[in-house]
Amino acid sequence: MLDFSQIKAVISDMDGVLWLGDTPLPGLHPFFEHVQSRGIPYALATNNSMKAPADYVHKLAGFGLNVPESAILNSGLVTMIYLRRHFPPGTGIHVFGGDGIRTLVRQAGFTLTDEGAAAVVVGLDYNLNYEKLKRAALLIRAGAQFVATNDDATIPIPEGLAPGGGSMVAALRTATGREPDATMGKPHPPLFEAAMEFLGSDPAHTLMIGDRMNTDIAGAVRYGLRTALVLSGVATREEALASETPPEAIFDDLGALVTAWQQAG
């Protein structure tokens, strides 16, 4: 049972929790009103590496919300933390992914390259083609580090579940015979570690809100966070109840979660 009185900070997923595609989900505005009015620090954490944090700020502004860029952590940003720890500025990095991750690589002081890369960063690419797959595979086979921003097999869109960044990772795993050297997104620790450092909280008093069992909830449980699943994205109630790592609470959507939190006092 989730005890809201113990919650001092919040980490929330975005896709499938705050919105679906370009459509805001129920509870979006009440959620921000609730945490901001109570002075509860929050971080918005997503495995999606297609966009830079500034892009999410712009998207939220389009919904009428003013969210600081510092509160947004995506797997791309956490990937930059990893790259800075392992490679000096100017190192050649190849990106198999979207423009958002390319922007972050440049801003982090690395050089984008298609030849002799020290690392291949892999994320969701809406413009995937064979040439891109071939180039990334050849670089990994030549010795480049294989760095996955996330391994989500799918992403929720209005039409259903579409291939996610994990599908790109799986293709390269098959093509190279190699597992990623590091994976940044949930359920792996790096994104949770970055969120906790930003929030200045401890896991026992931090709530993870997500819509996926195998990433949001499973990763949060392993990290010691409090957990709430919303059914507005990927997971079903049946899946959650049958899981070996069930959430502490299940809500139809973010709006239902906020209502329960407010009623708890």
Side-chain angles (χ1 to χ4, degrees):
M1 177 65 71
L2 179 60
D3 182 358
F4 281 108
S5 69
Q6 297 298 308
I7 303 304
K8 309 300 181 185
V10 178
I11 304 170
S12 177
D13 186 37
M14 290 191 271
D15 299 287
V17 176
L18 304 182
W19 59 68
L20 200 58
D22 292 322
T23 303
L25 288 168
L28 176 63
H29 288 87
F31 168 73
F32 283 99
E33 291 168 2
H34 181 75
V35 295
Q36 290 170 352
S37 67
R38 297 193 178 195
I40 298 172
Y42 63 88
L44 306 181
T46 177
N47 279 0
N48 193 332
S49 64
M50 282 290 292
K51 298 179 180 179
D55 297 320
Y56 288 104
V57 170
H58 180 74
K59 183 164 188 169
L60 287 159
F63 296 144
L65 294 165
N66 182 20
V67 174
E69 187 173 330
S70 60
I72 296 174
L73 294 170
N74 72 349
S75 61
L77 187 61
V78 178
T79 300
M80 296 310 107
I81 296 173
Y82 174 86
L83 292 178
R84 286 192 181 108
R85 289 174 178 169
H86 291 82
F87 301 101
T91 298
I93 305 293
H94 179 76
V95 172
F96 180 82
D99 290 338
I101 195 72
R102 288 188 175 84
T103 297
L104 288 175
V105 167
R106 286 193 296 264
Q107 291 176 344
F110 298 106
T111 302
L112 290 169
T113 184
D114 293 335
E115 302 291 339
V120 174
V121 174
V122 183
L124 179 60
D125 188 345
Y126 289 147
N127 298 306
L128 172 67
N129 59 42
Y130 182 79
E131 286 301 316
K132 291 182 179 181
L133 181 61
K134 180 180 74 174
R135 173 52 50 194
L138 289 172
L139 289 169
I140 292 170
R141 281 185 170 277
Q145 271 205 29
F146 182 0
V147 181
T149 59
N150 70 86
D151 51 13
D152 286 356
T154 61
I155 55 170
I157 61 173
E159 297 92 332
L161 293 178
S167 294
M168 321 287 123
V169 173
L172 285 171
R173 181 187 291 116
T174 299
T176 64
R178 278 181 55 184
E179 292 293 326
D181 295 288
T183 304
M184 301 296 112
K186 302 165 288 183
H188 305 279
L191 195 144
F192 292 112
E193 292 170 353
M196 295 305 298
E197 183 176 349
F198 168 74
L199 292 170
S201 181
D202 65 279
H205 295 92
T206 303
L207 175 64
M208 175 69 214
I209 305 171
D211 70 307
R212 287 178 178 267
M213 287 300 303
N214 64 333
T215 55
D216 300 323
I217 304 303
V221 169
R222 292 172 196 155
Y223 200 75
L225 295 162
R226 315 305 295 273
T227 54
L229 176 76
V230 293
L231 303 176
S232 50
V234 174
T236 65
R237 186 178 299 273
E238 292 73 23
E239 179 187 356
L241 294 175
S243 173
E244 295 181 358
T245 55
E248 293 178 73
I250 303 172
F251 300 95
D252 287 338
D253 52 40
L254 190 60
L257 183 154
V258 173
T259 297
W261 198 343
Q262 291 171 336
Q263 291 175 347

